[in-house]
Amino acid sequence: MRRIRTYNEVDHGTGSRLLEQVLEQHERLGARLAQVGAVVAVLSGKGGVGKSFVTAGLASALAASGRSVGVVDADLNGPSMSRMLGCEGARLGDAPDGVVPALGALGVRVMAMDLLQDTPDAPLRWKEPEGGHGALWQSSAETAALREFLGDVAWGELDLLLVDVPPGTDKIGRLLGLVPGLDAAVVVTTPGEVARSVVARSLRMVTEAGVPAVGLVSNMSGFRCPGCDALHPLFPGDAPARLAKRFRVPIWGEFPLDPEAGASMDRGEVDRLLEAGRLPGVHFRALAGALEASLGEARAATQGGAPSVGAPAVGGAP
Ligand SMILES: Nc1ncnc2c1ncn2[C@@H]1O[C@H](COP(=O)(O)OP(=O)(O)OP(=O)(O)O)[C@@H](O)[C@H]1O
Ligand SMILES: [Mg+2]
């Protein structure tokens, strides 16, 4: 049986410098992320549960509290960060040390595939090398694109870099491959059983990888009536509580399905949600606080110091 060759063997005698190129890319990525306080993945494994909604709101809440924040939209095929953060159609700049990210709401720096495309609704098509092998090529092209989004963008110094991870546990594995020192995972779930069974796989993945700060967000935990503001049950199920118990992770945030908030988000007006007193804004700020407290605890634990005050676990319907 033929064995798959390693980079070293492929490189041998071909003059391609393949090994050097790969090592250079890793070094560039490492040097770039050294300027970032914490890399935080917002993930689920499950599609459509509100990962992008949470990423945009969390990034904006962190920025509103004075943090310098970047967002990588790792959803190359269905990007939504530039829309939600209000910088859709922005032009990316070019600096000596990389692509200059777009500026979204509250100064959040954004890198997303649609910012590289001429028309907003163009589907992404990778040109494969002659001879086919399209499926193999696509996966490595997507990994290369994500590595460039992380490593070849002139992020400058950042307190936090958030990554909106598309559905599929394979996408979580891809990110962990590129960023083995991922600092935190914000794991989004809805209440139902189908979400629970998928999100359990993702939680296993990040906890087994040793990600030091992991917390859950319970999204669409009820329906907030736009007329009377009352909270009604929506999906049956207690996925967040069961997952929290099984994986011994806190629930960092809880969001009802709030049609007005969804509409604001989809219009790119996330900053309006953070206006004083507005409910999703209150919840996004609480989530930002829980994440930062947990990151602080994880840092204190690795430095051998006394842990800081525990992350507030947000429980119960708001
Ligand atoms: N709590 C919420 N209240 C109101 N609208 C919400 C809420 N959560 C998400 N939405 C809306 O639901 C839609 C789907 O959410 P979103 O795009 O964030 O899901 P996703 O998990 O990122 O999906 P995908 O798997 O396709 O990336 C969006 O229009 C979003 O604004
Ligand atoms: Mg999304």
Side-chain angles (χ1 to χ4, degrees):
M1 194 170 66
R2 271 180 70 186
R3 195 173 59 82
I4 293 174
R5 289 183 295 166
T6 66
Y7 284 138
N8 273 308
E9 292 161 326
V10 171
D11 207 33
H12 186 68
T14 63
S16 70
R17 292 186 63 252
L18 183 60
L19 181 62
E20 282 95 329
Q21 284 183 43
V22 171
L23 292 177
E24 277 164 21
Q25 287 166 353
H26 274 276
E27 267 172 33
R28 252 199 341 264
L29 179 58
R32 189 77 69 179
L33 295 185
Q35 289 184 287
V36 175
V39 183
V40 178
V42 181
L43 58 90
S44 170
K46 187 87 183 78
V49 293
K51 300 174 293 296
S52 302
F53 179 87
V54 168
T55 309
L58 175 60
S60 308
L62 288 162
S65 72
R67 305 284 183 251
S68 50
V69 184
V71 169
V72 167
D73 194 335
D75 197 336
L76 306 175
N77 297 292
S80 42
M81 281 300 95
S82 57
R83 163 161 282 268
M84 288 182 171
L85 286 159
C87 58
E88 199 175 34
R91 294 186 73 86
L92 298 172
D94 198 6
D97 65 332
V99 174
V100 179
L103 268 195
L106 298 148
V108 173
R109 298 166 221 180
V110 184
M111 185 63 199
M113 186 51 90
D114 57 300
L115 296 170
L116 294 169
Q117 294 179 289
D118 293 336
T119 47
D121 53 0
L124 188 61
R125 294 192 182 98
W126 301 100
K127 267 196 188 158
E128 61 192 66
E130 265 175 47
H133 309 300
L136 279 177
W137 173 254
Q138 179 163 335
S139 155
S140 60
E142 288 183 352
T143 305
L146 181 58
R147 182 187 46 69
E148 289 178 14
F149 280 16
L150 292 160
D152 294 344
V153 170
W155 294 110
E157 299 225 337
L158 286 180
D159 294 314
L160 298 112
L161 179 61
L162 270 51
V163 185
D164 181 11
V165 184
T169 43
D170 58 322
K171 307 299 188 304
I172 302 168
R174 176 180 291 168
L175 179 66
L176 286 168
L178 289 167
V179 189
L182 189 70
D183 294 282
V186 179
V187 183
V188 183
T189 188
T190 47
E193 193 50 27
V194 171
R196 189 200 59 74
S197 63
V198 177
V199 176
R201 294 164 185 262
S202 311
L203 272 164
R204 248 186 96 163
M205 211 158 182
V206 290
T207 50
E208 286 179 6
V211 176
V214 179
L216 278 160
V217 167
S218 167
N219 194 27
M220 308 187 192
S221 54
F223 172 71
R224 185 169 300 287
C225 171
C228 66
D229 222 28
L231 196 64
H232 302 285
L234 186 61
F235 301 118
D238 57 353
R242 287 180 60 194
L243 289 166
K245 189 167 172 214
R246 173 168 167 208
F247 290 94
R248 297 180 188 187
V249 294
I251 296 176
W252 281 342
E254 182 156 339
F255 295 85
L257 183 74
D258 179 337
E260 273 180 38
S264 289
M265 190 66 92
D266 293 3
R267 281 196 302 268
E269 294 169 358
V270 62
D271 42 348
R272 288 200 46 212
L273 295 180
L274 290 169
E275 282 166 12
R278 291 199 64 181
L279 254 189
V282 172
H283 295 309
F284 282 130
R285 285 180 212 274
L287 172 59
L291 167 67
E292 290 209 282
S294 208
L295 280 167
E297 264 184 46
R299 250 176 235 132
T302 51
Q303 287 160 8
S308 59
V309 181
V314 183

